[in-house]
Amino acid sequence: MFIDKVITLALGAMFLLALSCEGPTAEEATTNNAPQKRTLQQEPTFWDYAASSNMLQVAIATVAAEKGTTEHIRNIASEAVAFHVKALEDLKALAERYDNIQLPDSLGAADLGLVLEFKLLEGEELDTHFREFVLSTHNAQLDTYEEAFLKADDTPTRDWLMDMRAHLRQEITAIAEADSVETAAE
């Protein structure tokens, strides 16, 4: 019985000794708990996404501005073209500040296919698809831009992200108003 107690005590002491040897020193613990620096400039996939999504918004909105059946849809689309063209120009200016950021200069094959689909649509079907496109893409962009905002390294990038988020919310509201106006007219 006495030997069992000695063995238990010895094992407990070795366990405590092992725990104290494996842990970080006080200096290491302080260093490891330091806040991490935001790193959006180290995420080229974000920049590619932002440029591609703005180019796609311009292309789709151009089709809707030309072929939309209601004045409200054509106005929303025209305003979207103007905004996203400027947003893309501003994004290019921001990206030029970083050596590791390369923005795409044209739409990818999948996006070009989507633009072609929109060009083939007519009438109410085009308006409906445009509304659905705006709602789905803008909600996805909002999520992405909100995450990116937390990582943005500088004020101009943060300002660009804030402008984008405000505009996306505004377009979502405008599309919702268009839906409610059309529903009331029926």
Side-chain angles (χ1 to χ4, degrees), residues 1 53 74 95 143 145:
M1 204 136 100
S53 62
R74 288 191 303 272
D143 292 342
Y145 292 159

PDB file of all heavy atoms in Angstrom, residues 1 53 74 95 143 145:
ATOM      1  N   MET A   1       0.804  -1.167   0.000  1.00  0.00           N
ATOM      2  CA  MET A   1       0.000   0.000   0.000  1.00  0.00           C
ATOM      3  C   MET A   1       0.865   1.255   0.000  1.00  0.00           C
ATOM      4  O   MET A   1       0.568   2.216  -0.704  1.00  0.00           O
ATOM      5  CB  MET A   1      -0.869  -0.028   1.242  1.00  0.00           C
ATOM      6  CG  MET A   1      -2.045   0.790   0.983  1.00  0.00           C
ATOM      7  SD  MET A   1      -3.544   0.154   1.464  1.00  0.00           S
ATOM      8  CE  MET A   1      -4.096   0.732   2.847  1.00  0.00           C
ATOM      9  N   SER A  53     -15.679  40.280 -60.166  1.00  0.00           N
ATOM     10  CA  SER A  53     -17.093  40.525 -59.853  1.00  0.00           C
ATOM     11  C   SER A  53     -17.535  41.896 -60.348  1.00  0.00           C
ATOM     12  O   SER A  53     -18.655  42.043 -60.840  1.00  0.00           O
ATOM     13  CB  SER A  53     -17.362  40.352 -58.359  1.00  0.00           C
ATOM     14  OG  SER A  53     -16.617  41.273 -57.602  1.00  0.00           O
ATOM     15  N   ARG A  74     -34.005  49.470 -66.076  1.00  0.00           N
ATOM     16  CA  ARG A  74     -32.984  50.106 -66.919  1.00  0.00           C
ATOM     17  C   ARG A  74     -32.198  51.156 -66.129  1.00  0.00           C
ATOM     18  O   ARG A  74     -30.975  51.257 -66.286  1.00  0.00           O
ATOM     19  CB  ARG A  74     -33.621  50.722 -68.159  1.00  0.00           C
ATOM     20  CG  ARG A  74     -34.081  49.684 -69.174  1.00  0.00           C
ATOM     21  CD  ARG A  74     -34.478  50.299 -70.513  1.00  0.00           C
ATOM     22  NE  ARG A  74     -35.525  51.306 -70.388  1.00  0.00           N
ATOM     23  CZ  ARG A  74     -36.840  51.062 -70.410  1.00  0.00           C
ATOM     24  NH1 ARG A  74     -37.258  49.818 -70.564  1.00  0.00           N
ATOM     25  NH2 ARG A  74     -37.710  52.032 -70.299  1.00  0.00           N
ATOM     26  N   ALA A  95      -4.625  48.381 -56.325  1.00  0.00           N
ATOM     27  CA  ALA A  95      -3.783  47.207 -56.579  1.00  0.00           C
ATOM     28  C   ALA A  95      -2.388  47.601 -57.071  1.00  0.00           C
ATOM     29  O   ALA A  95      -1.417  46.886 -56.804  1.00  0.00           O
ATOM     30  CB  ALA A  95      -4.460  46.293 -57.590  1.00  0.00           C
ATOM     31  N   ASP A 143     -20.743  39.507 -48.139  1.00  0.00           N
ATOM     32  CA  ASP A 143     -20.043  38.610 -47.213  1.00  0.00           C
ATOM     33  C   ASP A 143     -18.535  38.683 -47.424  1.00  0.00           C
ATOM     34  O   ASP A 143     -17.766  38.795 -46.469  1.00  0.00           O
ATOM     35  CB  ASP A 143     -20.524  37.165 -47.391  1.00  0.00           C
ATOM     36  CG  ASP A 143     -21.958  36.954 -46.937  1.00  0.00           C
ATOM     37  OD1 ASP A 143     -22.485  37.807 -46.187  1.00  0.00           O
ATOM     38  OD2 ASP A 143     -22.557  35.937 -47.337  1.00  0.00           O
ATOM     39  N   TYR A 145     -16.734  41.074 -48.869  1.00  0.00           N
ATOM     40  CA  TYR A 145     -16.180  42.395 -48.559  1.00  0.00           C
ATOM     41  C   TYR A 145     -16.169  42.670 -47.060  1.00  0.00           C
ATOM     42  O   TYR A 145     -15.308  43.389 -46.575  1.00  0.00           O
ATOM     43  CB  TYR A 145     -16.936  43.485 -49.306  1.00  0.00           C
ATOM     44  CG  TYR A 145     -16.725  43.451 -50.812  1.00  0.00           C
ATOM     45  CD1 TYR A 145     -17.620  44.054 -51.672  1.00  0.00           C
ATOM     46  CD2 TYR A 145     -15.636  42.794 -51.386  1.00  0.00           C
ATOM     47  CE1 TYR A 145     -17.434  44.032 -53.042  1.00  0.00           C
ATOM     48  CE2 TYR A 145     -15.447  42.752 -52.750  1.00  0.00           C
ATOM     49  CZ  TYR A 145     -16.351  43.383 -53.576  1.00  0.00           C
ATOM     50  OH  TYR A 145     -16.161  43.350 -54.938  1.00  0.00           O
TER      51      TYR A 145
END
